[in-house]
């Protein structure tokens, strides 16, 4: 079972559920802005480290969003995914 993402005072904390195969993890985030369908394009620059950590990127009207590779995060290979996961 996954932990309940709440602060000690009971306040809810925004979180995303990552899933890859049978693996599951909660990733705590500062905020959830919204949900929308996007076209994710592969990242062609940055080499294997970038390709391993990110599934691709999507260009939005208000900035660029990097799409995290859930399998790499769950395997522990992506480090702190939240650092720089969205640029804008």
């Amino acid at each position: 079972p996954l932990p309940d993402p709440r602060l000690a005072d009971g306040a809810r904390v925004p979180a995303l559920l990552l899933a890859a195969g049978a693996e599951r993890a909660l990733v705590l985030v500062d905020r959830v802005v919204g949900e929308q369908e996007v076209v994710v394009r592969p990242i062609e620059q940055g080499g294997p480290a970038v390709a391993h950590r990110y599934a691709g990127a999507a260009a939005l009207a208000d900035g660029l969003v990097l799409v995290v590779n859930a399998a790499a995060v769950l395997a522990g290979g992506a480090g702190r995914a939240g650092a720089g996961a969205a640029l804008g």
Side-chain angles (χ1 to χ4, degrees):
L2 294 170
D4 185 6
R6 294 176 191 254
L7 299 176
D9 65 2
R12 292 180 181 253
V13 176
L16 300 175
L17 175 63
L18 294 183
E23 298 292 320
R24 305 277 186 272
L26 282 177
V27 177
L28 302 181
V29 296
D30 294 330
R31 63 189 169 118
V32 176
V33 176
E35 180 179 338
Q36 63 181 300
E37 291 186 30
V38 297
V39 175
V40 177
R41 301 190 186 277
I43 300 173
E44 297 177 1
Q45 298 177 349
V50 171
H52 175 72
R53 291 189 170 112
Y54 299 102
L60 305 179
D62 57 350
L64 176 71
V65 175
L66 297 176
V67 179
V68 175
N69 180 343
V73 172
L74 293 170
R80 209 171 135 230
L87 305 173

